[in-house]
Amino acid sequence: MRPKLVIFDCDGVIVDSEKLTNAVMRDNLAGYGLNLSIAQIMDLFVGGTMQGVMELARDMGAELSEAWLDEIYGEMFVALSRDVELVAGVDTVLDRLDAAGIPYAIGSNGPHAKMDITLTKTAIKARFEGRIYSREDVAAPKPAPDVYLKAAQDAGVAPADCVVIEDSASGARAAVAAKMRCFGFHADTPRKKLTPHCDALFARMSDLPDLLGV
């Protein structure tokens, strides 16, 4: 069944930002005595919020002040504005959706300031203009369904007619809570993290149009 709205997560799905931000987190937290591998950072933090990262890092022994959020975002924004790229094949997926007359949106746990950088740098922001949603726009971040429900409500589409594209278990759980179908993108995420929550899995964006029926 073709969806009437496709809602994409941003980081790791539209923009290939996770590797950059994970490296920034690794180096920053090491400076506070918390030495984690990239694999550990992905397992612990991907799909959450930076507030959640800060709280968990504190629990693990890092002495982070309230100013840490501004610090880490500043470091991330520098790295992203310099090096972030589009996930391979995303533009083709959007072309196929346009041709099929199916609208699409972004629903992210990231702040608008971060998406302004990544979506502008990758020259794709205009394609989502007016349909970019952040956890800043809703009461609760993923795994709560709020950001996906807002995107659907603003588009006038019932949740059952939406498909969410996610690369994290937290985001996939948000889709389930919203009563939306979820397709899990596992190019960089272990399949086992997505399998319990997703209706289908795919590893290449080139496989997504067939899953969507476009």
Side-chain angles (χ1 to χ4, degrees):
M1 183 178 69
R2 277 189 176 190
K4 295 182 180 177
L5 176 68
V6 178
I7 312 174
F8 295 88
D9 178 43
C10 189
D11 293 302
V13 173
I14 296 295
V15 294
D16 193 10
S17 55
E18 301 282 21
K19 298 181 185 69
L20 295 172
T21 55
N22 289 342
V24 169
M25 277 194 284
R26 177 199 60 200
D27 295 345
N28 178 282
L29 291 174
Y32 289 93
L34 183 57
N35 292 291
L36 300 172
S37 67
I38 291 294
Q40 288 174 309
I41 286 172
M42 289 186 66
D43 185 57
L44 291 168
F45 302 140
V46 169
T49 64
M50 291 309 300
Q51 178 70 33
V53 170
M54 181 172 71
E55 292 169 2
L56 182 54
R58 283 172 170 172
D59 290 343
M60 298 174 72
E63 295 185 6
L64 306 180
S65 73
E66 288 301 316
W68 183 78
L69 286 176
D70 289 336
E71 174 189 323
I72 194 68
Y73 271 127
E75 293 177 9
M76 285 181 174
F77 289 175
V78 169
L80 291 168
S81 63
R82 182 181 61 234
D83 295 323
V84 72
E85 297 180 353
L86 201 64
V87 169
V90 163
D91 47 357
T92 301
V93 173
L94 300 185
D95 289 344
R96 295 276 287 271
L97 290 171
D98 285 339
I102 298 174
Y104 43 85
I106 285 175
S108 175
N109 262 357
H112 281 290
K114 182 181 179 184
M115 289 189 282
D116 284 344
I117 290 170
T118 59
L119 297 175
T120 300
K121 170 68 174 175
T122 55
I124 204 148
K125 184 179 178 182
R127 300 193 73 166
F128 289 95
E129 200 66 54
R131 292 166 284 120
I132 300 170
Y133 298 92
S134 162
R135 49 92 174 155
E136 295 172 325
D137 302 318
V138 294
K142 306 173 195 177
D146 300 29
V147 72
Y148 288 141
L149 291 174
K150 179 169 178 56
Q153 182 179 36
D154 286 1
V157 176
D161 292 324
C162 299
V163 168
V164 169
I165 312 302
E166 264 291 351
D167 72 327
S168 75
S170 176
R173 286 165 54 207
V176 172
K179 301 190 186 311
M180 298 177 180
R181 287 181 290 158
C182 184
F183 296 165
F185 181 49
H186 65 92
D188 295 314
T189 304
R191 290 175 61 99
K192 65 182 180 180
K193 286 185 171 292
L194 295 171
T195 299
H197 316 291
C198 295
D199 297 278
L201 299 178
F202 65 104
R204 300 175 302 175
M205 276 294 160
S206 58
D207 296 328
L208 182 55
D210 286 342
L211 289 176
L212 294 171
V214 297

